[in-house]
Amino acid sequence: MPTPSMEDYLERIYLLIEEKGYARVSDIAEGLEVHPSSVTKMIQKLDKDEYLVYEKYRGLILTSKGKKIGKRLVDRHQLLEQFLRQIGVEESHIYTDVEGIEHHLSWNSITQIESLVEYFNRDPKRIEELRAIQNEGLNEN
């Protein structure tokens, strides 16, 4: 399994390739707010671990293993954003909160959150009931 840092890179690379069709070192560095030299080192490690193929001056491509994990990481991120939104977390906190928790949850926890999101999606009244409970708590303080 990739480390949390490797996951961040794979997620960013996957998104860049989906959006632009390619991922450059400079784009990865900008997106992750790291130095290009750090990106190059990580790309070499990801190449060694067969998540991508990197050829100096030619760019990189994700292997099927890298694509699979990249998609899974993007899906995890989107699921957690959706979940936090559903439970009423302020929009201004969602991205930072997801970044803070996504690497610390087991895939079992992610699966359970996915079930809970689906539970809410199947009946919008459940969200309304949750909001009512949240408002009751606010009014008690």
Side-chain angles (χ1 to χ4, degrees):
M1 277 305 287
T3 65
S5 179
M6 292 167 78
E7 286 183 347
D8 286 339
Y9 278 84
L10 286 168
E11 184 178 358
R12 173 60 49 197
I13 292 166
Y14 181 86
L15 283 170
L16 284 168
I17 291 173
E18 285 293 302
E19 292 167 9
K20 296 180 165 190
Y22 59 89
R24 296 184 316 207
V25 168
S26 58
D27 295 328
I28 299 165
E30 181 182 322
L32 295 175
E33 299 178 354
V34 296
H35 292 286
S37 60
S38 299
V39 174
T40 301
K41 286 179 190 166
M42 180 58 80
I43 285 174
Q44 290 168 343
K45 181 168 180 38
L46 292 169
D47 185 2
K48 181 177 155 280
D49 291 349
E50 300 179 347
Y51 291 106
L52 57 81
V53 176
Y54 175 64
E55 295 178 19
K56 201 169 185 178
Y57 307 115
R58 301 224 28 222
L60 57 92
I61 56 169
L62 289 171
T63 62
S64 59
K65 174 181 165 182
K67 282 181 194 171
K68 181 180 176 185
I69 290 180
K71 180 174 182 355
R72 189 175 185 197
L73 296 170
V74 168
D75 290 348
R76 174 183 71 185
H77 191 102
Q78 291 170 345
L79 171 71
L80 291 172
E81 282 187 359
Q82 183 181 7
F83 172 65
L84 293 180
R85 214 169 266 119
Q86 281 182 333
I87 63 170
V89 173
E90 290 179 28
E91 197 64 36
S92 62
H93 296 289
I94 289 177
Y95 181 81
T96 306
D97 287 353
V98 169
E99 288 296 309
I101 64 173
E102 67 183 337
H103 299 298
H104 300 285
L105 294 173
S106 68
W107 285 104
N108 180 259
S109 292
I110 296 295
T111 300
Q112 301 314 315
I113 290 170
E114 190 171 32
S115 297
L116 186 58
V117 165
E118 181 60 25
Y119 173 78
F120 284 129
N121 286 341
R122 286 187 183 184
D123 186 353
K125 287 185 179 178
R126 293 172 178 153
I127 296 279
E128 292 171 22
E129 291 168 0
L130 176 62
R131 296 287 177 266
I133 292 168
Q134 290 169 330
N135 288 334
E136 285 172 21
L138 289 174
N139 293 334
E140 290 175 6
N141 294 331

